Amino acid sequence: MSEKDEFRHKAEEYKAKAKEDLGKATGNEQWQAEGKTEKSASKLKQAGEKLKDALTPDKKPGGH
């Protein structure tokens, strides 16, 4: 996974967690549910990227 993708997915996870926490603090059940859903989606993306990385052979410098 590229560092850019890793950073983006982690940022999405933190944003979703903040939304969920804000929903809890304000009693807004919709924000809580959306935050949980978005957080799960972000974690799934991260897991997919890790799986892709595990299945992709490493590129060697100078190799074809």
Side-chain angles (χ1 to χ4, degrees):
M1 171 175 11
S2 74
E3 288 182 28
K4 184 178 177 182
D5 287 339
E6 185 176 355
F7 178 78
R8 185 169 36 101
H9 294 314
K10 205 52 140 159
E12 288 174 3
E13 180 183 348
Y14 289 132
K15 179 181 171 189
K17 175 72 171 131
K19 187 176 192 176
E20 180 183 358
D21 290 344
L22 184 59
K24 286 180 185 177
T26 61
N28 187 324
E29 293 179 5
Q30 182 177 351
W31 283 358
Q32 289 178 46
E34 288 175 3
K36 282 183 179 183
T37 301
E38 292 169 8
K39 187 169 61 172
S40 295
S42 175
K43 288 186 176 197
L44 186 60
K45 287 178 188 178
Q46 291 176 53
E49 288 290 331
K50 287 180 182 180
L51 179 62
K52 185 173 81 172
D53 287 347
L55 297 175
T56 303
D58 290 336
K59 295 179 181 175
K60 303 206 189 259
H64 292 102

